[in-house]
Amino acid sequence: MEAYRQEIIIGAVLVYMVFCVLTGLWAMRRTKSSSDFFIAGRGLGPIVVSLALFSSTLSGFGFVGGPGLVYSTGVSSFWMIVISSTGYALGFFLVAKRIRMIASLRNCISLPDVAAARYGSEPVRFLLALTIVLGVMGYLATQILAMAVVMQAILSGTETFANIGLISCVVISGTVLIFYCVTGGIIASVYTDVVQGGIMMVAGVLILIAATSVFDGGMQEATSIILADDAEAIMPFGTAGIMASLGWFFVFGLGLAGQPHLVTKMMMNKNIADNRTILPMSLLGYVLAALLWVSIGIVMRAAVLAGVSEPLALPDDAASVFLSAFTNPLLAGIVFAGLFAAIMSTSDAFLNIGTAAIIHDIPKALRGKSLENELLWARIVTVLLAVVAAGFALYSHFQDATLVALLGAFGWATFASGIFPVIAIGLNWKGASATGAIVAIVSSLLINFIAQLSAIQIPYGISGGLVAFVTSMVLFIGVSLATRTRSLDDDIDALMDI
Amino acid sequence: MRNPIIVAIFAICSVMALILLAIIVADPIANSGGMPHPTIAGLMVGGDGAARLEEIGGLAFAFQCLLLLLIVALCALGVSPRHRTPQLYALLLLTYLFTLLIWWQMYFGHLDYLETRTTGYFLGFPLATAWQMYGTWFGAIPLILIYTLGFKKFIHSDEDEASYQQLLKDNGME
């Protein structure tokens, strides 16, 4: 079997991609309106929503960057994932019920739609849509680039495709992504997410089993090796230190309820009562898939320290080196398919919310109505957005990586600090004002951009994202308390009492 | 009358902002955010853990205690005012104490290691890290139980569903 390692991996990835294309074709017949395209007509069952929710949370970063971070900085980045249980709980307590109710009451198809209904403010809608478009561009470009780099690494291991270029890989992987997103919209996206989520869970569990068998003494031997070299690396705050770790706890924990690609999925379930099962199911899926992040990073760091493996050229190589050195070809095939699944499940969610912001929210905020024939425009803009993001990714790879890195890093923290107060708190507090929302969004955009552009090093590993998040929370509530709140529309007022 | 939960959230966030400011202006410690491994490129090391906590350990501990309090306060805000019963507050208080216990074990377990340089292990990880790894993950279980098992009681009762359906009907959105 070892002789056919590369062929098995390519076969697994190919089967997965064919599945995505077929799902797109199937979903096309069920997509008859922009409501179907963007929020699946609010008719999804709990299992589909659960898997779509967690698979969109764990992007390619979780499968590539996550193990790389553990390899490089030790336990620090664990904080990004162990907080997921609290993050999901907060998201459901604060957002799931109200966003689903407002979506039906006002026929909302996007997050800015919900904000506009809640605050009765087009500027809030516009700023939220703008934040989403900025974040989506960076996220999408990094995901498309990651997908192409992984595909190139797989294909260049074969004789036929030994010299395949990155551009060709962007075209192949991008075409599959665009095809199922354009034809089937969010319906294709969530149903591919179901399979993508399944693959990711299986991959996480199998990788944990493989990782614990690398050393005779299992995970304890691996952690002991790390402890002997540098105790801080395997102690609770890792090499990055206590404030970097707690910052990640804050931004990734609370911030989960501010991620537009996730909370938008909370508008898609058929019944509000389904939320009671969606929460534990999506969390279980996430925990199983995230085992890969934890186990590969720890074992690779220990393997390098013990001389079992050569030092990695780049920390992000941790997953691919682990797969080729310590797993059998079949598992490697499943995990590589899982990696594509992780990247695509996040990318399709971003394509969807980015398109909604461009064709629905920004025109509505600027001219009071969205575009005519939204479904057609949704399909056209989905293609354009993916093409621009792919071009952006290639430009960053060959010319200047600054802008994409900037927007990529900008994504999660800006969504967290800009959207969490406005949506998660605003949907539960009648006193929240449009002025407070505008100040919170603008301050989070400014602080995150300034922190990224100036590359300011805040002492003790404190991130710009943490500063932006705490500031926007204080400003949002403080400004809302200090300003006069416009009276709510009667239906929204009544809804917030339920 | 102002919503007491939002006032509490505002107070917690404001104190957290002040703590953050105090940490930023505290005497800097060299390599407090890690430094390159002396022999292996691509790896970072933390170095002297005690020195890294010397100036800001207490402030960081307080920051996390407030963050855990903020989480339960936000959960309370997410529950409709008419379901915010003494029972709910009692459950949230117990949840807070549970997460505080986990944080306490993690933080002081780490300090204990820095002092004694010995540690036990639990499921593959040094004890303090096991509290972080498993404790933090499981620390939210009470919140998840309150949400799932108490769904009809605290989150969305049958009366809520009826009111919501009526609201949809009144707005012609059935």
Side-chain angles (χ1 to χ4, degrees):
Chain A
M1 191 186 277
E2 193 56 45
Y4 298 103
R5 170 176 283 269
Q6 218 58 23
E7 287 74 11
I8 291 171
I9 292 172
I10 292 172
V13 172
L14 197 66
V15 166
Y16 165 72
M17 288 198 165
V18 168
F19 162 78
C20 288
V21 170
L22 293 176
T23 307
L25 288 171
W26 167 78
M28 186 165 68
R29 287 190 298 176
R30 294 183 58 179
T31 305
K32 296 183 172 64
S33 67
S34 56
S35 170
D36 292 336
F37 193 88
F38 289 121
I39 53 167
R42 289 188 287 272
L44 299 176
I47 293 175
V48 177
V49 176
S50 308
L51 288 164
L53 201 57
F54 103 76
S55 63
S56 303
T57 316
L58 203 66
S59 66
F61 175 75
F63 270 44
V64 179
L69 264 180
V70 178
Y71 169 79
S72 169
T73 68
V75 168
S76 305
S77 79
F78 278 19
W79 288 90
M80 293 181 192
I81 41 175
V82 295
I83 187 56
S84 57
S85 51
T86 305
Y88 275 106
L90 267 176
F92 276 80
F93 266 96
L94 289 166
V95 183
K97 172 182 166 180
R98 301 218 178 277
I99 201 169
R100 179 64 187 80
M101 289 200 297
I102 291 188
S104 278
L105 185 67
R106 290 293 187 93
N107 209 12
C108 299
I109 62 169
S110 68
L111 195 59
D113 251 357
V114 171
R118 158 63 185 84
Y119 293 98
S121 163
E122 291 306 320
V124 172
R125 180 205 294 275
F126 177 79
L127 281 170
L128 215 51
L130 183 69
T131 308
I132 288 172
V133 172
L134 285 173
V136 161
M137 281 308 296
Y139 258 129
L140 254 184
T142 50
Q143 299 294 317
I144 289 174
L145 190 60
M147 200 158 52
V149 167
V150 175
M151 178 169 274
Q152 190 182 29
I154 296 172
L155 291 177
S156 60
T158 62
E159 270 183 38
T160 319
F161 299 106
N163 297 315
I164 191 163
L166 192 71
I167 296 176
S168 308
C169 293
V170 166
V171 171
I172 297 168
S173 52
T175 303
V176 175
L177 176 69
I178 290 171
F179 182 83
Y180 80 80
C181 286
V182 168
T183 51
I186 198 69
I187 296 178
S189 168
V190 292
Y191 281 99
T192 51
D193 282 354
V194 170
V195 173
Q196 287 159 353
I199 295 172
M200 286 155 71
M201 283 192 287
V202 171
V205 173
L206 293 179
I207 283 293
L208 177 70
I209 294 167
T212 51
S213 59
V214 169
F215 293 98
D216 292 341
M219 194 57 83
Q220 185 168 325
E221 186 178 343
T223 57
S224 301
I225 292 167
I226 298 171
L227 187 84
D229 176 70
D230 173 49
E232 284 293 282
I234 198 66
M235 279 293 154
F237 310 115
T239 66
I242 191 167
M243 284 314 294
S245 299
L246 299 185
W248 281 335
F249 185 102
F250 194 116
V251 174
F252 280 80
L254 270 64
L256 197 136
Q259 301 305 307
H261 57 302
L262 304 181
V263 294
T264 303
K265 293 206 161 75
M266 294 175 176
M267 295 159 63
M268 297 176 190
N269 47 314
K270 198 169 182 182
N271 302 306
I272 292 172
D274 290 342
N275 284 329
R276 68 190 303 182
T277 48
I278 294 172
L279 169 60
M281 282 197 290
S282 47
L283 179 61
L284 177 69
Y286 184 90
V287 169
L288 293 178
L291 292 173
L292 182 144
W293 177 324
V294 172
S295 48
I296 288 184
I298 290 290
V299 166
M300 281 311 297
R301 186 172 175 113
V304 167
L305 289 171
V308 175
S309 179
E310 289 292 310
L312 305 178
L314 291 170
D316 285 355
D317 293 340
S320 55
V321 171
F322 177 88
L323 290 174
S324 45
F326 301 119
T327 63
N328 75 40
L330 210 54
L331 176 55
I334 292 171
V335 177
F336 271 111
L339 172 58
F340 275 94
I343 297 173
M344 284 189 168
S345 58
T346 308
S347 304
D348 59 33
F350 279 120
L351 264 180
N352 197 269
I353 59 165
T355 301
I358 292 169
I359 68 141
H360 180 77
D361 296 305
I362 292 178
K364 219 167 177 179
L366 295 178
R367 55 179 215 149
K369 58 178 182 176
S370 52
L371 301 176
E372 303 292 328
N373 201 348
E374 271 193 333
L375 183 56
L376 175 66
W377 280 109
R379 288 186 160 131
I380 293 170
V381 171
T382 300
V383 177
L384 291 177
L385 194 58
V387 169
V388 171
F392 203 29
L394 287 171
Y395 171 79
S396 89
H397 185 77
F398 291 114
Q399 298 290 327
D400 176 13
T402 320
L403 197 55
V404 166
L406 175 73
L407 288 177
F410 171 86
W412 186 284
T414 306
F415 286 157
S417 53
I419 296 176
F420 179 86
V422 177
I423 296 296
I425 296 182
L427 290 182
N428 294 284
W429 176 39
K430 289 183 181 179
S433 70
T435 315
I438 290 167
V439 170
I441 297 171
V442 172
S443 70
S444 76
L445 284 173
L446 283 177
I447 296 172
N448 278 302
F449 256 126
I450 290 168
Q452 291 293 330
L453 280 172
S454 61
I456 292 172
Q457 291 286 320
I458 305 172
Y460 293 101
I462 292 171
S463 67
L466 174 62
V467 174
F469 203 163
V470 175
T471 307
S472 77
M473 290 277 283
V474 172
L475 285 175
F476 175 71
I477 302 174
V479 171
S480 292
L481 286 172
T483 52
R484 238 179 91 177
T485 312
R486 166 190 169 276
S487 59
L488 295 168
D489 294 340
D490 290 343
D491 58 340
I492 299 293
D493 191 65
L495 183 142
M496 288 180 74
D497 283 331
I498 296 174
Chain B
M1 199 180 104
R2 281 185 175 154
N3 181 337
I5 296 177
I6 212 72
V7 173
I9 290 171
F10 183 58
I12 295 167
C13 289
S14 301
V15 178
M16 288 175 79
L18 291 174
I19 291 176
L20 212 48
L21 194 63
I23 292 172
I24 290 170
V25 299
D27 283 345
I29 300 291
N31 302 312
S32 56
M35 56 192 162
H37 194 282
T39 55
I40 301 171
L43 292 190
M44 299 291 286
V45 292
D48 186 347
R52 299 204 303 170
L53 289 175
E54 196 179 324
E55 291 291 330
I56 60 150
L59 289 170
F61 181 79
F63 183 88
Q64 183 67 359
C65 291
L66 287 170
L67 178 49
L68 297 172
L69 187 60
L70 178 64
I71 288 166
V72 292
L74 286 167
C75 288
L77 182 72
V79 174
S80 173
R82 60 175 139 160
H83 298 313
R84 287 181 202 148
T85 57
Q87 189 190 7
L88 176 80
Y89 284 119
L91 289 170
L92 289 176
L93 177 67
L94 287 173
T95 303
Y96 177 58
L97 294 176
F98 180 55
T99 54
L100 210 54
L101 171 75
I102 292 165
W103 169 234
W104 180 281
Q105 294 286 353
M106 185 195 317
Y107 183 80
F108 288 102
H110 182 213
L111 289 189
D112 186 50
Y113 172 79
L114 291 173
E115 211 171 288
T116 62
R117 291 283 156 186
T118 56
T119 179
Y121 283 82
F122 178 74
L123 290 179
F125 289 92
L127 282 179
T129 312
W131 277 104
Q132 182 235 10
M133 169 83 184
Y134 306 115
T136 312
W137 237 330
F138 287 107
I141 294 293
L143 292 179
I144 292 161
L145 290 177
I146 293 170
Y147 190 91
T148 52
L149 300 181
F151 190 82
K152 291 257 178 187
K153 195 168 187 176
F154 302 122
I155 308 299
H156 195 66
S157 62
D158 291 338
E159 295 78 42
D160 290 342
E161 181 61 23
S163 307
Y164 172 55
Q165 291 303 332
Q166 186 61 44
L167 188 62
L168 288 178
K169 200 173 167 187
D170 293 346
N171 281 267
M173 299 300 290
E174 259 185 320

